[in-house]
Amino acid sequence: MEMVVRQPAVEGAFYPGTPEAVSAMVERCFSAAKRPAVAGTVVALVCPHAGYIYSGAAAASAWLAVPDGDGRDCLVLVGPNHTGLGGAVSVAAADAWRVAGVLYPVDRELARELCALLPGASRDDAAHLMEHSLEVQLPFAARRLAPGFSIVPVCLGVRPDEFGLQVCLELGNALARCLEDRRALILASTDMSHYLSDAAARREDEPAIQAVLRMDPAGLVRVVRERRISMCGVMPTAAVIRAAAGLGASRAFLADYRTSAEASGDYDRVVSYASFALTADEG
């Protein structure tokens, strides 16, 4: 049977169009990153997903919390659905994803197990075909995880309401059960505020940042809904907080916070980016 490979959707747009140029740009992102002060073993990351010139350094800052050559051989990625295609919880059905010339195998057994544990989840590539939020994470992961690591991409298309929160909590619980005996890392993909002034974005983002730092998924969803914060990946972040807590994480650290103004020079209309590391006590 022929291998089904999901092809890149935003190559040449969010990141360069050749493997060599992607490698060089990711290197520049790590050079511009802030090395976060974290304690414990990293269980999960929260990273932004814009074009690398805007959010790449913030994403790299979170990845610097993961030891180089970390040894984990699976990455579960949970991101928002920007296209409206697919279902509420769409787990990639392809055999592999190709990004920047690298083939990332999908852990089909883990994907099947996740769907078996979570009613309403489906093996569905429609939500992933044109979605950028998970694709852009993989060249960063390739710099820190074990060579040949597998992936399980999950696209989450639920709103920040009570039903959506329940779906997120159930997804988090299912992920924790699936991964309790696995050497895996979890990643939520999100940007923060969109198209506010730099000052307004920083002000509006603060309560959402504090909810992540408290590892409070319900509080995060509530504050984003009530304050109408345009955090596109709030639901994936809530799900990953629950999953990380189920795997022993008890603390969250802000790795970096930036806005697009640092790259564009436009402080009147920005997108903001926060990255986090969620950790468990060692031992």
Side-chain angles (χ1 to χ4, degrees), residues 23-127:
S23 179
M25 192 164 198
V26 169
E27 178 65 33
R28 291 195 295 273
C29 291
F30 274 98
S31 295
K34 301 174 182 177
R35 185 169 293 276
V38 303
T41 300
V42 177
V43 175
L45 301 177
V46 179
C47 292
H49 55 235
Y52 287 4
I53 62 171
Y54 300 111
S55 69
S61 296
W63 278 104
L64 285 175
V66 179
D68 196 11
D70 177 69
R72 276 176 278 196
D73 57 8
C74 182
L75 176 65
V76 178
L77 307 105
V78 187
N81 187 329
H82 290 91
T83 69
L85 300 173
V89 183
S90 298
V91 182
D95 298 303
W97 282 27
R98 188 185 306 280
V99 179
V102 177
L103 204 62
Y104 297 90
V106 173
D107 188 325
R108 296 174 61 81
E109 179 182 348
L110 181 55
R112 284 193 294 267
E113 183 181 351
L114 177 59
C115 288
L117 284 173
L118 186 63
S122 60
R123 302 290 305 284
D124 174 20
D125 280 333

Side-chain angles (χ1 to χ4, degrees), residues 3 5-9 11 15 96-104 135 138 151:
M3 175 181 285
V5 178
R6 187 266 191 189
Q7 299 298 329
E11 186 175 87
Y15 57 88
W97 282 27
R98 188 185 306 280
V99 179
V102 177
L103 204 62
Y104 297 90
E135 172 183 324
L138 294 176
I151 62 173

Side-chain angles (χ1 to χ4, degrees), residues 1-262:
M1 183 178 296
E2 184 178 354
M3 175 181 285
V4 177
V5 178
R6 187 266 191 189
Q7 299 298 329
V10 292
E11 186 175 87
F14 280 59
Y15 57 88
T18 68
E20 297 78 12
V22 172
S23 179
M25 192 164 198
V26 169
E27 178 65 33
R28 291 195 295 273
C29 291
F30 274 98
S31 295
K34 301 174 182 177
R35 185 169 293 276
V38 303
T41 300
V42 177
V43 175
L45 301 177
V46 179
C47 292
H49 55 235
Y52 287 4
I53 62 171
Y54 300 111
S55 69
S61 296
W63 278 104
L64 285 175
V66 179
D68 196 11
D70 177 69
R72 276 176 278 196
D73 57 8
C74 182
L75 176 65
V76 178
L77 307 105
V78 187
N81 187 329
H82 290 91
T83 69
L85 300 173
V89 183
S90 298
V91 182
D95 298 303
W97 282 27
R98 188 185 306 280
V99 179
V102 177
L103 204 62
Y104 297 90
V106 173
D107 188 325
R108 296 174 61 81
E109 179 182 348
L110 181 55
R112 284 193 294 267
E113 183 181 351
L114 177 59
C115 288
L117 284 173
L118 186 63
S122 60
R123 302 290 305 284
D124 174 20
D125 280 333
H128 294 279
L129 288 178
M130 299 305 297
E131 177 58 53
H132 66 276
S133 63
L134 303 183
E135 172 183 324
V136 299
Q137 309 293 344
L138 294 176
F140 293 92
R143 288 284 304 272
R144 308 302 284 183
L145 299 184
F149 67 91
S150 63
I151 62 173
V152 178
V154 181
C155 189
L156 193 52
V158 292
R159 297 180 180 276
D161 53 25
E162 290 305 315
F163 171 77
L165 175 60
Q166 188 60 37
V167 172
C168 291
L169 298 181
E170 291 173 357
L171 172 58
N173 290 339
L175 284 171
R177 288 181 61 187
C178 287
L179 300 177
E180 59 186 353
D181 296 320
R182 298 291 299 262
R183 298 170 67 211
L185 183 71
I186 318 170
L187 184 146
S189 181
T190 188
D191 296 335
M192 299 298 290
S193 287
H194 291 65
Y195 312 129
L196 302 177
S197 71
D198 184 89
R202 293 175 184 274
R203 181 176 63 250
E204 291 301 310
D205 289 342
E206 185 59 25
I209 289 170
Q210 292 303 317
V212 177
L213 294 176
R214 293 194 306 271
M215 294 190 58
D216 179 3
L220 174 64
V221 172
R222 182 175 61 253
V223 74
V224 166
R225 181 179 66 245
E226 291 176 354
R227 297 180 64 96
R228 298 187 178 182
I229 302 169
S230 50
M231 179 182 178
C232 54
V234 56
M235 306 312 279
T237 304
V240 167
I241 291 172
R242 171 56 71 95
L247 292 168
S250 58
R251 290 178 289 182
F253 298 87
L254 180 65
D256 203 350
Y257 181 88
R258 303 173 186 237
T259 76
S260 57
E262 295 184 33

